Amino acid sequence: MNIGIDARLLERRVTGIGRILMLLLKEIPKVDKKNKYFLFSYGSLDVEKNFYINVTTVKSLLPQKLFSPIWNNFILPHYLKKEKIDLLFSVNQILPLFKVKGCKYISIVNDVIYKADPNFLPFTYRKYLQFFAYFSIKISDLIITISKYSKKDILKHYKVDEKKIKVILQSANEEFMPMNLEVNEKKEIKAKLKLTKYTILYVGVIENRKNILGILKVADELKEYKDIRFLLIGKMGYGSKKIMKEVNERKNVIYRSNVDDGLLKKIYNIADVFLFPSYYEGFGYPPLEAMQSGLPVIAANNTSLAEIVDTGGLLHDPDDYISMAKNIIKLLNDNSFYMKMRNKGLERAKQFTLEKTVKETVDVFNSF
């Protein structure tokens, strides 16, 4: 079977959805020995050439959000026919509006955030997703989603057969793990990032739905503790201008962008607590990365976070800043409690493996 994959996400900075694709492509050659895989992109990709056939299409000077629908609905179908693709797989839920004869469509629908709250996405992007996602969900022969919560949310907002939706839990990069860093290396990293004795870490986009302002309120609760710093790592997103104005007004909060995975995995190991009070998550990769690294997690008890973190962390109402602050202090002052939550996180993280994710995905491909 010829399987085509929309791989354009790998041509820009990799975030949550792109990370799904990157990990899948890394593992698929170990699992699937009978299908042929075609990766469709604008330009050449750094992939395993002996396994994947990288089909380069056309580039454009138009902005990505304008050109993408054109590529998706006119250029991609042309190449699907040319390469005789039997199955098209998209990790970002956007598919061509019309079926190519003889080609099945499978999409990953991570979430339906555009239906959740108008403050979570820019108006034009929200409307773009609402329009194209509606048709993609309808035209998909099968939908893969990444949590039971997301499946429930899809069924809530769309009239779709429940049997058409398959939940496949995702996994974090295996490079995120407990590390035995030298004392001097820890000191160097802390000095470089201007950290103090204790670090409360957040990793993710700086945007409204992540409740960064909530993290700042927790920081305000603990501002008398001069040896505690809050470290925010991530790119700018919707609402970041207002958020960063608040961040810059606080001496106990530090922001960093452009942190690569090599440094990030070390930061997970020098931080003391991971704080993630997000309002909406289809899955929640950073808390899983933290648990997998042995870093105790405090997260919101909503959407998919309650499902993914579960007993592996401390869950709170995302607006209960006082309780989150109290838990941080308890973790820092009570070593037995700290080790208990660390071990619970490590155990919980073992439930999410790349091998399982890829095997279940390939099994879905082979079901057609």
Side-chain angles (χ1 to χ4, degrees), residues 19 56 155 262:
R19 211 175 276 274
T56 57
L155 293 171

Side-chain angles (χ1 to χ4, degrees), residues 65-84:
K65 284 186 173 61
L66 288 178
F67 182 62
S68 185
I70 298 172
W71 186 91
N72 216 47
N73 291 290
F74 298 98
I75 297 169
L76 178 59
H78 164 75
Y79 283 95
L80 295 178
K81 294 175 186 175
K82 181 181 178 182
E83 302 295 342
K84 297 180 173 60

Side-chain angles (χ1 to χ4, degrees), residues 112-127 129-130 157 207-209 237-239 279-280:
V112 288
I113 186 174
Y114 45 87
K115 293 279 190 179
D117 189 314
N119 294 311
F120 290 167
L121 292 171
F123 176 80
T124 52
Y125 186 50
R126 193 171 75 252
K127 293 300 180 183
L129 287 176
Q130 286 176 347
H157 292 289
E207 61 184 352
N208 290 341
R209 77 175 171 101
Y238 185 55
Y279 285 126
Y280 187 100

Side-chain angles (χ1 to χ4, degrees), residues 186-233:
K186 289 182 180 180
K187 287 182 178 179
E188 287 175 7
I189 295 172
K190 284 196 170 189
K192 181 181 179 181
L193 297 172
K194 298 180 181 178
L195 301 174
T196 50
K197 184 178 180 180
Y198 298 116
T199 302
I200 314 305
L201 178 65
Y202 163 83
V203 176
V205 181
I206 307 300
E207 61 184 352
N208 290 341
R209 77 175 171 101
K210 299 291 188 178
N211 194 17
I212 307 300
L213 295 180
I215 294 176
L216 300 185
K217 289 179 182 179
V218 176
D220 289 343
E221 290 292 324
L222 301 178
K223 63 183 178 182
E224 300 304 320
Y225 293 84
K226 304 303 180 184
D227 54 357
I228 296 177
R229 288 286 182 276
F230 286 73
L231 175 60
L232 312 179
I233 295 177

Side-chain angles (χ1 to χ4, degrees), residues 13 204-207 233-245 247-248 255-258:
R13 186 178 176 184
V205 181
I206 307 300
E207 61 184 352
I233 295 177
K235 69 175 186 177
M236 297 295 180
Y238 185 55
S240 60
K241 186 175 180 180
K242 177 183 175 183
I243 293 168
M244 287 308 300
K245 182 179 178 182
V247 169
N248 294 330
Y255 167 71
R256 292 288 182 270
S257 62
N258 299 320

